[in-house]
Amino acid sequence: MTTEIMLTLVIMAGVVVLFITEWLSADLVAMLTLSALVLTGLVTPTEALSGFSSPAVITVWAIFILSAGLTRTGVAAWMGRQVLRLGGKGELRMLLVLMLASALLSAFMNNVGVTALLLPVVLDICRRTKRPPSRMLIPLAFSSLLGGMTTAIGTPANILVSDVLADYNLPPLALFDFAPFGIVVTLVGILYLLVGRKLLPERDMAQEFHQGGHEMTEAFAIEDRLFVITIPKKSKLDGRTLGQSRLGSVLGLNVISVMRKGHSNLGPNPETVLQAGDKLLVTGRPDRLVNWTKAKQFKILSRHIPPGYLTSEEVVLVEAKVIPGSSLVGKNLEQLHFRQAYGGVVLSMCRGGKPIHYRLESIILQPEDTLLMLAHKSEEAALLENRDLIVTPADAANYDLEEALALIRITKKSHLIGQTIMDSHLGDAYRMGVFGIMRDGKMILMPEREEQFQAGDQLLVRVRPESMDTLESLHGLEIDTQAHPSYEDMESDTVGLLEVVIAPQSHLPGKTLRDAHFRDKYGLSVLAIWRSGQTHRSGLRDMPLRFGDALLVFGPRERLSLLSTSTDFIPLTEEAQQPPLLKKAPIAAALMLAVVFTVGFGWLPIAAAAVVGGTLMVLTGSLKMNEAYRSIHWNAVFLIAGMLPLGIAMQTSGTAEFLATGMVARLQPLGSSVLIGGIFLLTVLASQIMPNPVVTVLMAPVALTSALNLGYSPEAFMIVVAVAASSAFLSPVGHPSNILIMGPGGYKFSDYIKVGLPLVLLILLLNVFVLPLFWPL
């Protein structure tokens, strides 16, 4: 074993570990792989960057654009609806037509795009026929994967294996070379899903709310958290807006309606003014409100704190003026991660001679702004040396801090006990900034975010006086035990509910609703999240979102319609979809057919034809340029481009030859069928836990080298790898299409294994015994 082979194997092992553990995003792992290969000299810089100009990568992003054109103009949806109408009302016929439609579309469109396109159509049919979506959605996703196996542009795996053949100076597979065997696999898979449909679960978990029924709200169990609270007389909430009330951030309540003197304001906005005596229809946890009203969380000790509390032997007050041309200009403190970057905590700001005390983290900095800061003496020298600020000793008297600071004590029954400053969200929920903790007679200034609160702690905080009054007034809220609200109280002609799924190309996974500023951006409330068979109805603001999450959203219907234009969400009802450009539908359909025929007759390579087709989609107005950019799954593009150099390294370093020799030595004595079966099983198992393009890049060189060494058909072995890599039927994380249907279908992880395992074994048998009939070994 040479040094180059050892280095390549080490990098491959690291790649596998990173993909399985998901410590880093897949596209970042690909870029790290590319970097490691070029730094170790396993590939040249030109080879390292060759993935970005690879015909495979170009074909992938061009197909995304073509698929988006068919979707935007309504061509694909029209085809789906027309075909599904043939399904009638019987489950067997409906499933057959659904899977045939999905497979046909997936042969020429992106698999995830087809699933996302047909998902609302299927759900609407399920509502009308009163069938559980769980009986239909796994067949939808699985058939989209099966259909992608039939053409060279059906899946990235097919595109990549054809590219690998070209890299070895062999003829690449043509557009329909996959069709003979791919069609057999698809038809057998569809037949299995029809015969074995009893394996499909019956769960009615994600149906849309519709006239005469309430399946969606029942699925999310909203009624369990629907109750009425009353604002008592003489409450300090009287005259405050809903946004100022802190009902959402402090108590976790979503206000559905404000009821006053027999009239109901459904879907109130944050500027709605509350009055004493108002009854509020809310969703949330009643026990959280009861616990809040029973025991005060903290007690106000003083509302006027002199600046002398802010200094000690270790901590000083300084002024920092933002200089013209500073890198801070145009950014806010939150974006700058100011404390981590500069080691100081900003107490106040002075602009134009006027002090500003509140919401400092969101204020865009300007030249000549002066920041009043707390800083450790040990960090003062570093502050003086930075080039963005002019730092001088501070005179706190210029900032009128007495009115902005308060001293509060955490009570013995406070829920804050044991929480860290970071976890308590005092800044967001209570609008408090903690600058010191008095504990056992000693003041801890500038406490770390990981500092835990203890009973009896006295907190030095910056807070508006009216915010303290608002927090005090929340203790007086009363639950109206005589009220029995129902689903009908949640909807009207102007306000409603909508279920959406996090889209594949969304930037939201990993972020919380708070991070995404969801309420501010859309003016809507998320009432519940369905994930992996479970409903989450509390703590939603701080729950990191995942691809495939189903969100129940409430608000004005005109606002709900905004979600249909967002690339972050897929509305689960056809009515909420963005209206298609029907006048452009014939043009889009003609362009897609032209691409297929051009490639089919060999007039242009696949990559060139797809790019031309995508360009004409934009030129003809079937798609706008910004829509074309948004349609491309850039993480998939960078993933493939970054991993392709690893395939080059496996070839040039001899790693593919090394691994192929080992595999052949162990499996060839048992026969060619065992060798094909071994390659298939290794590839299909890897594809359940790693992205399919990555598995293809890793396995294709090994399989191809094995075939060449033994004199077998290289095309046959490449088709085995492509089909196996696309057979991600055993887990929801195996393919984005599987994740996309998990929330709406209410599926559990075990459902995929139960339905998918027999299908994988069937495809294994087809590869071993049927593939050689089309591609003789």
Side-chain angles (χ1 to χ4, degrees):
M1 183 187 299
T2 65
T3 303
E4 289 79 7
I5 293 176
M6 290 182 62
L7 282 173
T8 305
L9 290 174
V10 168
I11 292 174
M12 289 173 63
V15 166
V16 171
V17 170
L18 288 174
F19 277 125
I20 293 175
T21 59
E22 297 183 344
W23 290 333
L24 300 173
S25 64
D27 46 352
L28 180 56
V29 173
M31 292 298 101
L32 284 174
T33 304
L34 183 154
S35 303
L37 290 170
V38 74
L39 290 175
T40 54
L42 291 171
V43 297
T44 66
T46 301
E47 290 172 332
L49 300 176
S50 63
F52 291 96
S53 60
S54 164
V57 172
I58 293 171
T59 303
V60 167
W61 63 252
I63 292 298
F64 280 132
I65 295 176
L66 288 170
S67 299
L70 295 179
T71 302
R72 186 68 185 90
T73 57
V75 173
W78 179 84
M79 290 176 60
R81 283 195 301 271
Q82 298 307 312
V83 174
L84 289 175
R85 283 197 183 112
L86 301 174
K89 295 184 179 180
E91 183 179 75
L92 181 64
R93 182 177 171 187
M94 191 182 301
L95 280 173
L96 174 61
V97 174
L98 167 64
M99 290 189 285
L100 287 174
S102 174
L104 177 62
L105 289 171
S106 294
F108 304 101
M109 292 178 61
N110 171 255
N111 305 140
V112 185
V114 171
T115 305
L117 177 74
L118 293 180
L119 181 57
V121 180
V122 173
L123 289 176
D124 281 341
I125 290 175
C126 289
R127 291 177 209 114
R128 289 196 296 269
T129 59
K130 297 183 179 180
R131 295 185 183 278
S134 61
R135 302 284 295 173
M136 308 291 289
L137 295 185
I138 276 183
L140 168 64
F142 282 13
S143 59
S144 75
L145 298 182
L146 291 168
M149 300 176 186
T150 59
T151 68
I153 61 173
T155 67
N158 293 6
I159 298 170
L160 286 169
V161 296
S162 185
D163 198 53
V164 170
L165 285 169
D167 289 341
Y168 278 71
N169 297 316
L170 296 169
L173 292 164
L175 179 63
F176 293 111
D177 281 351
F178 291 86
F181 181 64
I183 291 173
V184 170
V185 173
T186 300
L187 292 178
V188 170
I190 290 175
L191 181 62
Y192 156 74
L193 289 168
L194 292 174
V195 175
R197 63 186 184 279
K198 290 184 179 180
L199 295 173
L200 296 168
E202 293 199 27
R203 297 194 193 99
D204 203 352
M205 306 304 291
Q207 287 192 18
E208 181 63 71
F209 181 86
H210 68 93
Q211 186 176 1
H214 309 284
E215 289 88 348
M216 179 173 64
T217 42
E218 288 172 1
F220 285 96
I222 292 301
E223 193 170 46
D224 297 344
R225 301 289 179 89
L226 193 64
F227 59 101
V228 175
I229 60 175
T230 302
I231 299 177
K233 295 180 179 180
K234 299 182 179 179
S235 171
K236 291 183 179 179
L237 289 177
D238 188 5
R240 300 282 170 85
T241 66
L242 195 56
Q244 294 170 340
S245 70
R246 319 305 301 151
L247 288 168
S249 58
V250 175
L251 299 177
L253 301 177
N254 285 300
V255 179
I256 304 299
S257 175
V258 177
M259 296 171 282
R260 181 182 301 156
K261 297 179 181 179
H263 297 283
S264 177
N265 177 12
L266 194 60
N269 60 55
E271 302 305 317
T272 300
V273 178
L274 302 174
Q275 294 182 12
D278 283 349
K279 291 183 179 295
L280 309 182
L281 176 64
V282 300
T283 62
R285 292 179 54 182
D287 59 319
R288 184 170 174 178
L289 175 59
V290 170
N291 292 336
W292 177 273
T293 55
K294 280 184 178 180
K296 289 190 175 183
Q297 306 303 307
F298 41 73
K299 181 178 180 181
I300 302 172
L301 300 179
S302 175
R303 296 197 182 200
H304 301 280
I305 304 299
Y309 271 71
L310 297 171
T311 57
S312 68
E313 294 180 357
E314 300 175 350
V315 176
V316 295
L317 273 173
V318 297
E319 284 183 329
K321 180 179 287 187
V322 180
I323 63 175
S326 166
S327 63
L328 307 184
V329 174
K331 301 176 182 177
N332 61 40
L333 299 177
E334 185 177 17
Q335 293 169 332
L336 293 166
H337 302 288
F338 191 85
R339 179 168 182 175
Q340 293 89 332
Y342 294 90
V345 177
V346 179
L347 283 169
S348 185
M349 176 188 297
C350 190
R351 175 177 291 174
K354 295 181 179 180
I356 305 172
H357 302 312
Y358 309 110
R359 305 302 299 270
L360 301 180
E361 67 281 353
S362 60
I363 295 176
I364 301 298
L365 297 177
Q366 299 177 6
E368 305 299 328
D369 281 346
T370 303
L371 309 178
L372 180 66
M373 297 172 52
L374 279 176
H376 289 287
K377 287 185 177 180
S378 58
E379 297 172 341
E380 189 176 7
L383 272 173
L384 291 170
E385 293 176 0
N386 87 86
R387 299 179 180 181
D388 292 309
L389 301 164
I390 299 175
V391 180
T392 58
D395 184 0
N398 296 331
Y399 291 84
D400 299 327
L401 281 174
E402 288 86 351
E403 297 295 326
L405 298 177
L407 192 65
I408 63 175
R409 184 176 67 231
I410 295 178
T411 63
K412 293 182 179 180
K413 295 184 178 181
S414 174
H415 76 279
L416 295 175
I417 296 173
Q419 291 191 30
T420 65
I421 295 177
M422 179 176 61
D423 294 337
S424 68
H425 297 294
L426 284 177
D428 180 76
Y430 298 88
R431 290 289 188 262
M432 292 182 184
V434 180
F435 297 104
I437 300 176
M438 179 73 77
R439 181 181 297 159
D440 299 329
K442 181 181 178 181
M443 177 65 78
I444 306 172
L445 289 173
M446 295 178 63
E448 297 295 329
R449 298 173 66 191
E450 292 74 24
E451 185 71 39
Q452 290 186 333
F453 294 124
Q454 299 179 15
D457 279 351
Q458 297 180 20
L459 310 184
L460 178 61
V461 297
R462 179 184 60 211
V463 61
R464 294 178 187 268
E466 57 268 27
S467 292
M468 296 301 298
D469 293 336
T470 298
L471 294 174
E472 285 286 315
S473 66
L474 295 180
H475 292 284
L477 295 174
E478 302 168 352
I479 296 179
D480 187 348
T481 57
Q482 303 300 314
H484 301 287
S486 64
Y487 298 124
E488 284 76 11
D489 298 319
M490 300 181 67
E491 291 207 318
S492 71
D493 292 338
T494 57
V495 178
L497 294 160
L498 178 66
E499 189 181 359
V500 298
V501 172
I502 302 294
Q505 67 270 40
S506 173
H507 72 284
L508 294 177
K511 294 184 179 180
T512 65
L513 292 171
R514 187 197 306 270
D515 296 335
H517 304 288
F518 182 87
R519 183 68 183 267
D520 296 334
K521 184 176 181 179
Y522 295 104
L524 300 167
S525 299
V526 177
L527 303 185
I529 296 176
W530 180 268
R531 173 186 296 168
S532 303
Q534 293 185 330
T535 301
H536 302 269
R537 293 163 297 178
S538 58
L540 304 182
R541 293 160 60 88
D542 301 306
M543 178 185 295
L545 297 172
R546 298 179 188 172
F547 167 50
D549 281 349
L551 280 59
L552 181 61
V553 185
F554 169 81
R557 294 189 185 277
E558 61 180 14
R559 290 277 181 179
L560 291 173
S561 65
L562 295 176
L563 297 180
S564 67
T565 62
S566 170
T567 57
D568 290 320
F569 304 101
I570 300 173
L572 296 185
T573 175
E574 279 195 280
E575 290 77 8
Q577 299 285 322
Q578 188 178 12
L581 301 174
L582 295 178
K583 292 183 178 179
K584 301 291 184 180
I587 298 174
L591 288 173
M592 190 68 206
L593 288 174
V595 170
V596 172
F597 279 110
T598 301
V599 174
F601 285 105
W603 296 337
L604 281 177
I606 295 175
V611 170
V612 172
T615 303
L616 292 176
M617 280 284 188
V618 176
L619 283 176
T620 57
S622 301
L623 203 64
K624 294 180 180 178
M625 196 64 196
N626 63 329
E627 291 173 331
Y629 280 121
R630 289 204 307 264
S631 70
I632 300 172
H633 299 189
W634 291 106
N635 55 342
V637 171
F638 276 80
L639 171 64
I640 298 172
M643 291 302 300
L644 282 175
L646 182 56
I648 296 173
M650 291 177 67
Q651 179 184 355
T652 57
S653 68
T655 304
E657 178 76 26
F658 174 79
L659 294 175
T661 302
M663 179 180 293
V664 168
R666 289 171 174 79
L667 299 180
Q668 176 57 22
L670 302 176
S672 60
S673 297
V674 175
L675 178 61
I676 290 176
I679 292 174
F680 179 90
L681 287 175
L682 184 60
T683 306
V684 81
L685 290 175
S687 70
Q688 311 306 317
I689 53 177
M690 293 194 298
N692 304 354
V694 175
V695 177
T696 307
V697 170
L698 293 176
M699 288 301 302
V702 177
L704 184 56
T705 304
S706 300
L708 294 174
N709 288 346
L710 295 171
Y712 290 154
S713 165
E715 293 86 359
F717 275 61
M718 288 298 91
I719 289 177
V720 170
V721 171
V723 169
S726 298
S727 299
F729 303 120
L730 300 179
S731 79
V733 298
H735 196 276
S737 291
N738 294 348
I739 302 176
L740 190 60
I741 63 165
M742 192 172 189
Y747 294 120
K748 299 177 181 178
F749 198 100
S750 58
D751 294 326
Y752 293 87
I753 297 177
K754 184 168 65 175
V755 181
L757 183 57
L759 179 56
V760 168
L761 294 178
L762 275 174
I763 297 175
L764 167 62
L765 294 176
L766 291 174
N767 274 271
V768 172
F769 297 110
V770 178
L771 177 64
L773 300 179
F774 296 100
W775 295 94
L777 297 181

